[in-house]
Amino acid sequence: MRFDVLTIFPELFAPHLTHGVTRRAFESRQVDVRFWPLRDFADDNYRRVDDRPYGGGPGMVMLVEPLERALAAATADRGEAAPAVIHFTPTGRRIDQPLVQELAAGPGAILLCGRYEGIDQRVLDRHVTLELSLGDFVLSGGELPALALLDAVARLQDGVLGDAQSHQQDSFSDGLLDCPHYSRPEVLADGREVPAVLMSGHHADIRRWRRERSLALTAARRPELIVAARAAGRLSKADEAFLAKL
């Protein structure tokens, strides 16, 4: 899959793509990331990509012409007639695991990273196929959401994580939050211990403990996910019996 990133700050991406476990996906081009620096598509000596907004007000608006030239170049280089174009904005759909899984199984997209007060609406109206948000807060630009999306997609690719089952146990993989995890030592100096069931070697009991901790955590912190899991038929009779005791 391939992601083309339109940004005025391509250098923000380099550390992320070369460090951590997901670098395997980027270095192998399993997830092929290419950059289109927007100032390269400006048409004046100042490489200007923004100007004052019509109607007045604070801030600057990203200009149509550099953006459309960059979009045309990225589209032509991809060789696709109509690639998906994703714009990151607080008004977009919130990124969640089902969306990440859908994108991770697809051909990629063009990622449009805005800055300043935003992008001229005429670009969005004509070219953008999906608008996404990290949540109900405002960032300085679209680069951080783009990085978050790339990381989430990369870790779902075959062979990227050391254990193929790692992402299958993540929060939201089954619609619920993940359970707590423990490692060595078994007992800390102040007496805090690993739950005994995890030391028992009884795999069925361990699976049930983890499931119940996941259910309890989700019910306490994100009860709407329990409602959604129930509606989707993902809760067993044992799950419902446990939830009834909470």
Side-chain angles (χ1 to χ4, degrees):
M1 69 174 56
R2 170 174 165 174
F3 288 92
D4 293 86
V5 183
L6 277 59
T7 173
I8 61 173
F9 295 123
E11 61 273 15
L12 292 179
F13 290 80
H16 173 80
L17 301 183
T18 55
H19 292 82
V21 68
T22 53
R23 77 181 187 282
R24 299 172 184 168
F26 304 124
E27 291 176 350
S28 68
R29 296 296 180 96
Q30 223 177 330
V31 179
D32 186 4
V33 181
R34 306 190 189 189
F35 297 99
W36 302 86
L38 288 172
R39 296 194 188 280
D40 291 353
F41 296 90
D43 58 4
D44 66 349
N45 293 333
Y46 298 100
R47 305 179 75 202
R48 194 179 186 91
V49 296
D50 62 293
D51 207 335
R52 294 184 299 275
Y54 281 122
M60 306 290 274
V61 175
M62 297 186 75
L63 298 170
V64 172
E65 289 91 343
L67 284 162
E68 290 196 332
R69 283 192 284 267
L71 279 166
T75 300
D77 195 63
R78 290 175 69 94
E80 297 177 41
V85 178
I86 296 174
H87 171 228
F88 299 100
T89 168
T91 64
R93 169 185 170 183
R94 185 174 295 188
I95 299 171
D96 56 22
Q97 195 65 13
L99 173 66
V100 169
Q101 291 168 339
E102 179 182 339
L103 291 171
I110 295 176
L111 306 183
L112 184 55
C113 301
R115 281 269 159 176
Y116 314 120
E117 286 300 304
I119 292 172
D120 189 303
Q121 187 64 37
R122 291 168 292 184
V123 173
L124 307 181
D125 291 342
R126 172 162 292 188
H127 301 285
V128 170
T129 59
L130 179 63
E131 291 193 308
L132 297 179
S133 170
L134 282 182
D136 296 338
F137 56 94
V138 179
L139 296 169
S140 299
E143 287 79 13
L144 286 176
L147 281 167
L149 183 66
L150 289 171
D151 184 88
V153 166
R155 67 192 311 280
L156 295 184
Q157 303 306 307
D158 291 342
V160 171
L161 301 182
D163 186 333
Q165 293 185 340
S166 291
H167 68 76
Q168 296 172 13
Q169 297 179 0
D170 287 340
S171 289
F172 310 112
S173 59
D174 62 354
L176 304 178
L177 301 181
D178 196 9
C179 65
H181 298 279
Y182 298 84
S183 188
R184 295 172 178 78
E186 180 181 345
V187 182
L188 294 173
D190 60 9
R192 286 173 292 163
E193 300 182 15
V194 173
V197 64
L198 299 179
M199 310 295 296
S200 69
H202 195 293
H203 298 301
D205 287 351
I206 292 171
R207 282 195 299 271
R208 191 63 220 164
W209 181 89
R210 286 174 170 165
R211 180 66 174 180
E212 290 179 352
R213 299 287 74 72
S214 173
L215 289 164
L217 190 62
T218 305
R221 299 186 182 180
R222 296 289 302 276
E224 76 278 8
L225 296 179
I226 294 290
V227 174
R230 182 176 289 122
R234 290 194 294 264
L235 300 182
S236 67
K237 290 182 179 180
D239 292 339
E240 294 288 11
F242 174 77
L243 288 168
K245 298 175 184 178
L246 294 179

